Amino acid sequence: MDNPLHDKDLTLNITLLANTSDSPPRPNTELNLASSTPVPPVLSTIIVLPLQCRLTGIQYTPDLQNQSSPIYMALAGEVQLTMNKIFSAKYASNFLGTRIKDFLNGSVIAQLDVLFRNDVPPPSSSDVVRTVVTEAYRTTEDHYEWRIAPLSVEANGRSLKNLDPEQVSISFLALGMGFAVSLNNSDSPLERLQTEVLRILRPVISLKKFLLVEVRNLRGDLSINGDLYINTHTHVDSLQILQALRSLVNHSVDLSSIVVAGVRLDLQIYPLRIRILNRALTAQLMDHSTMVFQQFAKELGATVLDILKKGVPPLQMVVRELLSGSVLTLGELIFQSPAPPSKEVLQTLIGSVGSGNVFGKSSFLVDPTYFVVADAKPDVNAEYPHFPGFAVAIIVMCGLVIIAVPVIIFLFLKTNVFGHHGKAIIQRRRDPERGQYNLEMANRGYHATTETEMVAEMPAIAHKALLNVDRAWEAWGSLACYSRQDLRHRTRT
């Protein structure tokens, strides 16, 4: 493999730190920049941590005392490349590089310095030892003839015999527990939650203690930041801790908020919108720390989880915000990745709306036209199940009236039931001068409709009747898309 550091860079590192000893980590300010080669900007101070380890698989030779010998230069390049990969993967930009100091007899003991930035807190000596040991145990492929002996790794006096506990950051959000900030008794919800974390993790890892660093009330929820102190020779697996902490869902902890050493659970989150018709938005319901809100969120979450329990059920349903409009609930469905399609989840929720708009087995009445799951929305032309029977009867009757009334009026006009203009009317009028009676037609423009003409007009009459039928079915289709509340609203309008 090629060394990621050029030879001139390596020479520069040696020149900069030539006076460094095996003392505890300290800033090195004795910088010698006398070089004709342009170099990148150098920090005014550098943290130097001495490290040594034994290399197995190779034999010590006197050439390893000569820094200009090919054997020394080859081994130094391999060790430096390996250590740079280990520390850059763990500490990223905080790590600057390594410098080989010497190879000693005893198989081969490598002594080197590990360089860190001084403008950020450097890792502890115990943490550096764990980093090397973790990689030594993890490596299964032999890139070189030698390997690092884990028991031999030592940094600034720390080895596997006397490591400090590993400190791992942890944070999460406890829903509806904002009130616990002001409680200091031993049986407070915060103390119980801290005890529950210890109970969950001790069978999984060698957990010494769990200390709270910061606790804040966030709109009624409780934001918790703390540190886990773990007795271990290698770095703990953050994913293993995260999987164990999933059981905190039973203690009102938001699973999407759990972070362990910067790592989160692999979750898929769907935004959710539900409109509750039989609840009114109040100040208590908007405060996440009140019992009113907690009971509301608990019942709604349990209902949604019960409806979606078949197939791939969600891990949790979290209520994020309540808005006006009866009670417009904005929340999140949290699934283990991969999650089912959002359209499938939406159809399952809509299908759970029963007669009278009852949501599942709960006491909530919902409007299915307001359901939204991620990017999935109800089809405005869909016919929702359990449409009220009386509404169907009303719609059918209205359709029949729309069809029948125009036909009846048209026939009455044709047969002149309400008038006499389709008949020959003869009136008798007396002439007093002559003493005679005259017979006159009252409707002189009368034209008798023959049976043939009536038959010829029947197709036009039938065509108009069919047009009325089409209009009635269009009215039925538009009305059937709305719930009972929308139907009442349209009727009032």
Side-chain angles (χ1 to χ4, degrees), residues 230-378:
I230 306 166
N231 293 319
T232 176
H233 290 167
T234 60
H235 289 302
V236 296
D237 185 355
S238 299
L239 292 178
Q240 183 183 22
I241 297 177
L242 284 169
Q243 290 298 328
L245 292 177
R246 280 178 49 175
S247 60
L248 287 177
V249 68
N250 300 320
H251 299 271
S252 300
V253 171
D254 180 3
L255 292 182
S256 64
S257 70
I258 302 177
V259 181
V260 176
V263 181
R264 296 178 180 269
L265 285 166
D266 183 17
L267 303 173
Q268 194 164 344
I269 300 174
Y270 286 158
L272 175 67
R273 186 183 74 181
I274 301 176
R275 184 184 179 192
I276 309 296
L277 300 175
N278 59 335
R279 295 288 192 277
L281 189 64
T282 62
Q284 283 190 325
L285 196 58
M286 296 178 65
D287 186 353
H288 291 200
S289 62
T290 62
M291 189 62 65
V292 175
F293 173 84
Q294 292 177 28
Q295 290 177 347
F296 174 89
K298 183 177 180 180
E299 181 181 359
L300 183 60
T303 301
V304 172
L305 293 180
D306 182 66
I307 292 171
L308 300 176
K309 63 184 178 182
K310 296 181 180 179
V312 181
L315 301 175
Q316 189 178 31
M317 186 266 179
V318 179
V319 176
R320 298 295 185 196
E321 190 177 5
L322 300 178
L323 303 177
S324 60
S326 297
V327 175
L328 190 62
T329 305
L330 304 180
E332 290 178 342
L333 284 173
I334 302 175
F335 289 88
Q336 182 71 47
S337 187
S342 58
K343 190 70 173 179
E344 178 181 323
V345 176
L346 175 66
Q347 293 301 327
T348 303
L349 291 175
I350 293 177
S352 68
V353 180
S355 179
N357 287 349
V358 177
F359 190 37
K361 300 178 182 178
S362 70
S363 62
F364 295 117
L365 302 182
V366 298
D367 185 349
T369 64
Y370 272 80
F371 278 128
V372 174
V373 178
D375 57 348
K377 298 180 180 181

Side-chain angles (χ1 to χ4, degrees), residues 167-174 177 180-186 188-198 201 207-216 222-229 245 248 253:
Q167 183 178 343
V168 178
S169 63
I170 179 175
S171 62
F172 53 86
L173 188 69
M177 290 180 57
V181 172
S182 58
L183 301 179
N184 297 320
N185 55 3
S186 58
S188 68
L190 184 58
E191 290 290 335
R192 292 197 297 269
L193 188 58
Q194 189 176 5
T195 302
E196 184 64 19
V197 171
L198 292 171
L201 293 181
L207 181 60
K208 184 178 181 180
K209 57 184 177 180
F210 170 39
L211 296 183
L212 299 179
V213 177
E214 182 183 29
V215 179
R216 293 183 299 159
L222 192 63
S223 174
I224 298 175
N225 294 302
D227 288 322
L228 302 173
Y229 291 85
L245 292 177
L248 287 177
V253 171

